[in-house]
């Protein structure tokens, strides 16, 4: 019996965390704003919980999630490093999502209230530079890819039938080993 308990404790000690209620964060850059939401694996969103955005070790934004678990804050100017959004539900569920500086390359600069007057004799169209083309391309790609990234994150986080079956097989396997060990006793 002592060996069985030792084996059971060893198996339980080596088991990974249960993902049934783990919290995940999805975040993306949309124009001049970082938006996203938190969600629990298996369904549900964290409502009215604290979220914090940090960059280079300092807080840049914070607040409470809305009724859909969402958050939004303006893109920091300038981006000096990785921006990390952390949601803490206060129930032991904490999750973060890091957005590297490259994700902010597509962020549009804030619109100015008034356009500068064109100098006399200037052409009505400005010269398109390679940097302008890269910025417009990044913006367009980011807008198209954001829904795909969101869907991939949700698919990675959901509980699958194979996960449930694997868990049940593990339980039955451990029970089988325990019964086999018990049956070998004289």
């Amino acid at each position: 019996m002592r060996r069985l308990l030792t084996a059971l404790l060893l198996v339980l000690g080596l088991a990974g965390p249960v993902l049934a209620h783990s919290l995940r964060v999805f975040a993306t850059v949309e124009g001049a704003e970082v938006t996203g939401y938190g969600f629990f694996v298996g369904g549900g969103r964290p409502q009215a919980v604290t979220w914090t955005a940090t960059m280079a070790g300092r807080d840049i934004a914070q607040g409470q999630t809305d009724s859909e678990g969402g958050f939004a804050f303006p893109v920091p100017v300038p981006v000096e490093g990785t921006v990390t959004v952390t949601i803490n539900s206060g129930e032991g569920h904490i999750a973060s999502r890091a957005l590297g500086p490259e994700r902010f390359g597509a962020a549009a600069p804030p619109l100015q209230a008034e356009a500068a007057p064109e100098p006399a004799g200037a052409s009505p169209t400005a010269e398109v530079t390679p940097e302008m083309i890269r910025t417009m391309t990044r913006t367009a790609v980011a807008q198209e890819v954001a829904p795909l990234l969101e869907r991939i994150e949700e698919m990675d986080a959901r509980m699958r039938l194979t996960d449930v079956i694997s868990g049940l097989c593990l339980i039955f396997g451990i029970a089988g080993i325990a019964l086999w060990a018990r049956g070998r006793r004289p």
Side-chain angles (χ1 to χ4, degrees), residues 76-137:
V77 178
V79 176
E80 300 168 344
T82 300
V83 173
T84 303
V85 180
T86 302
I87 296 179
N88 184 351
S89 71
E91 302 166 346
H93 298 117
I94 300 173
S96 297
R97 172 64 60 203
L99 300 170
E102 68 279 357
R103 297 284 299 271
F104 295 92
L111 298 175
Q112 297 180 0
E114 286 184 66
E118 291 184 10
S123 149
T125 59
E127 182 179 329
V128 177
T129 66
E131 185 58 35
M132 291 171 65
I133 292 172
R134 278 192 290 277
T135 301
M136 290 187 301
T137 303

Side-chain angles (χ1 to χ4, degrees), residues 1-148:
M1 188 65 168
R2 181 173 254 170
R3 286 182 185 171
L4 177 63
L5 287 175
T6 304
L8 183 60
L9 288 175
L10 180 64
V11 169
L12 290 176
L14 295 176
V18 176
L19 295 177
H21 297 290
S22 87
L23 179 63
R24 298 285 178 102
V25 177
F26 174 78
T28 188
V29 180
E30 294 180 1
E33 189 173 53
V34 176
T35 61
Y37 59 88
F39 63 96
F40 291 104
V41 174
R45 303 265 176 114
Q47 301 173 356
V49 299
T50 304
W51 64 267
T52 306
T54 59
M55 179 175 60
R58 60 183 167 82
D59 290 349
I60 57 172
Q62 60 185 1
Q64 298 281 317
T65 58
D66 61 19
S67 63
E68 295 295 317
F71 58 86
F73 60 94
V75 169
V77 178
V79 176
E80 300 168 344
T82 300
V83 173
T84 303
V85 180
T86 302
I87 296 179
N88 184 351
S89 71
E91 302 166 346
H93 298 117
I94 300 173
S96 297
R97 172 64 60 203
L99 300 170
E102 68 279 357
R103 297 284 299 271
F104 295 92
L111 298 175
Q112 297 180 0
E114 286 184 66
E118 291 184 10
S123 149
T125 59
E127 182 179 329
V128 177
T129 66
E131 185 58 35
M132 291 171 65
I133 292 172
R134 278 192 290 277
T135 301
M136 290 187 301
T137 303
R138 285 184 194 137
T139 302
V141 169
Q143 289 173 349
E144 295 298 318
V145 169
L148 297 174

